[in-house]
Every structure is written in C-alpha cells, then in structure tokens.
C-alpha cells in the first residue's frame, strides 16, 4: 500500500498517525502510536477476484492515490482535520501455469515491487511528515485457481517483507518495519449464461509480526472487497466492464506494546467504502485498462477520504 505504529505527533490526544497501504508497506509516514490501517490496499481485488489470468507471463501496473482529510474517533466523530496523501505504484509480475495441477487447479505466482510517496499535514500544526522511495516487497509464491462454467475461485498465500526504509521515530519512512503473512481467497460468480454479469468477492487476512525497533505488535486485520459488474461488447476487439464496487477493513485484535496505552490498544479501526469500476479489455491483444473510485464513509479510529485506482496489464 509506513510507520503507522510508531510514535507520532498529536493534533488530538487520539491521533493523526500514519497510514500504511499494503503490498508494500506503503508508508503513510507515521509518527504516532496509533494504528489506523492495515497494509492491504483496499479495493485492489474488488473486480474479477476469482478469475485466474491467462497462462504465461503477465505484467500489471497499478497506480493508487489515497486522499484523506479527516481523522475519525472510535465513535465516528471527527477528531482532527488536515491532509494525508499517499501515491503508490505497484509493479506486479505474474506467472500462470499452462496446464491444470492439483485437483484441476492452475498454479500461479506473483511478485510486486512498490514505489510510494506520502505526506501528512495538520490544519493546526502544518507539515508533519513526508517520504518516498521503494516500499516493502510483496510475494505470493503459492496461488491456486479453479474455473467452472459459472464460478471462478482463487486461493493464495502472500507475505509482505519489510524491505522498505524504516527507522523508529523517523518522519520519512516508506516501510512498515514488520512482516505480514496474508492468506487470501477470491470468488467470481457468473450470474448469466453469457458470463457477462458477475458478482465478485475477495477476502484477505493480515497476520502482523512485532515491529522492529518499537516492540509494538499491530492488531491483525480483515479485508473484504466486492463488486457487481456487467460486460458489454463495444466492437469485435473491445469489451467494456462497468460495475459497482466496495470495500471494508476491520482491525480484529488489539494493538500491544510498551508505549501503547489502554485506550490506544482498544481503539480498533474500521473502514467502509462504495464506488464504481470501469475496465476496458482488448482480448486479441491481451491488454486491459481499468479505473476504480471509492468514497469512504462511517469510518472509525482512522482517516476518512477517497481512493482512486488506475491499472493496466498485458499478457505475453
């Protein structure tokens, strides 16, 4: 998606800490003991979650822009205002087997290199932190995908490695400082015989380890992405997929550590968002381009704003 779990400034006794966005510890440069997000870039798998890419080698690029202007308390109240902007560029390399393996499943593996740039500012205190550079490295060494006439399913194990720059207390971190183990599953149901109307859902669970240099153990995180889409044929070589999308993210266990107060430990974040997606697919050229937009609402103990995704992929 980065030191959201490090001690930060306080615009309010409850926070304005850093936010982290996954697949690479996308830094949200932090300076606070508050934990305000997981590491998965929410909404990334909202569409076609159970569909395995074509056999062979695929390169995909995903640009994510996160903008947050409010910090919400545990009851949804606004406790601070300012600006938190995070730009993430995910370069993902995918390999998919040509034939079925276990139980008719196709095997695939992915590796994601991330570049992140972030800034955090308060309306009252001004600029607080900023950083940029290579973020953490995300690897999915084991993915299995099954496909039937009406359903596609994918299961995976991923690990986020703390390779990005991280130093406890620094204001320019782009790494998380801890490992994250991330099992996931996605399903796509083809609601019509022509497979043009689909319902997709994706779930990833984050198991975080203790952060190096702070002894803070972030709370674990559950993520859900979902969508309903319809594909229409523009011409013989072009297909357009349109749909409604959404995501949710919840902290499921308390954060602990020597500097974490009881109030900070029990303040579990919750994120909700709805939006839309548009994807252009050129089957003959094995190329796709996509856009997603999400507006967040009713968040708890975290930032609130909007997320924009711009994606492209080509299979060789």
């Amino acid at each position: 998606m980065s030191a959201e779990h490090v001690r930060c400034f306080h615009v309010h006794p409850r926070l304005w800490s850093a936010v982290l966005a996954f697949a690479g510890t996308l830094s949200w440069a932090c300076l606070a003991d508050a934990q305000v997000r997981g590491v998965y870039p929410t909404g990334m798998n909202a569409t076609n979650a159970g569909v395995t890419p074509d056999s062979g080698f695929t390169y995909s690029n995903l640009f994510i822009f996160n903008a947050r202007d409010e910090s919400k308390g545990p009851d949804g109240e606004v406790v601070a205002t300012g600006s938190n902007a995070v730009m993430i560029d995910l370069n993902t390399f995918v390999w998919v087997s040509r034939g079925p393996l276990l139980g008719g499943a196709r095997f695939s593996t992915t590796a994601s290199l991330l570049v992140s740039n972030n800034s955090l500012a308060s309306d009252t205190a001004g600029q607080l932190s900023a950083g940029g550079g290579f973020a953490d490295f995300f690897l999915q060494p084991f993915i299995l995908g099954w496909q039937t006439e009406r359903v596609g399913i994918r299961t995976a194990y991923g690990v986020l490695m703390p390779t990005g720059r991280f130093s406890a207390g620094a204001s320019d971190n782009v790494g998380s400082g801890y490992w994250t183990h991330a099992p996931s599953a996605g399903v796509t149901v083809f609601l019509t015989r022509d497979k043009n109307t689909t319902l997709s859902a994706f779930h990833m669970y984050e198991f975080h380890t203790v952060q190096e240099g702070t002894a803070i153990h972030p709370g674990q995180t559950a993520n859900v992405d979902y969508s309903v889409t319809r594909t229409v044929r523009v011409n013989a070589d072009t297909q357009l997929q349109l749909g409604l999308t959404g995501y949710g993210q919840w902290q499921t266990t308390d954060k602990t550590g020597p500097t974490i107060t009881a109030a900070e430990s029990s303040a579990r974040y919750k994120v909700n968002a709805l939006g839309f997606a548009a994807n252009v697919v050129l089957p003959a050229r094995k190329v796709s381009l996509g856009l997603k937009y999400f507006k967040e609402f009713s968040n708890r103990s975290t930032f609130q704003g909007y997320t924009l995704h711009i994606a492209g992929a080509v299979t060789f």
Side-chain angles (χ1 to χ4, degrees), residues 3 16 19 55 61 63-65 74 97 148 152 171 247-248 285 303 306:
W16 253 114
V19 187
S55 298
N61 182 273
F63 174 77
I64 300 175
F65 179 72
S97 67
T148 70
S171 62
Y247 63 69
R285 301 182 185 183
F303 295 122
Y306 70 87

Side-chain angles (χ1 to χ4, degrees), residues 162-178:
T163 56
R165 182 179 67 251
F166 175 80
S167 178
S171 62
D172 62 348
N173 290 323
V174 289
S176 62
Y178 55 85

Side-chain angles (χ1 to χ4, degrees), residues 184-264:
S184 63
V187 60
T188 294
V189 179
F190 302 101
L191 300 177
T192 55
R193 259 179 216 277
D194 60 10
K195 297 186 178 182
N196 288 332
T197 302
T198 63
L199 173 66
S200 289
F202 173 83
H203 173 65
M204 174 179 281
Y205 197 84
E206 304 173 21
F207 295 93
H208 307 300
T209 64
V210 175
Q211 188 176 56
E212 183 178 356
T214 67
I216 293 174
H217 191 180
Q220 320 297 16
T221 306
N223 302 278
V224 175
D225 297 344
Y226 51 90
S227 69
V228 177
T229 63
R230 174 70 180 175
T231 300
V232 296
R233 184 178 296 276
V234 178
N235 55 47
D237 299 321
T238 306
Q239 297 174 0
L240 177 63
Q241 184 185 52
L242 301 171
L244 301 177
T245 60
Y247 63 69
Q249 185 178 80
W250 302 269
Q251 183 181 342
T252 59
T253 65
D254 289 351
K255 167 180 65 274
T256 59
T259 60
I260 303 300
T261 66
E264 289 171 334

Side-chain angles (χ1 to χ4, degrees), residues 17 93 175:
S17 61
F93 303 88

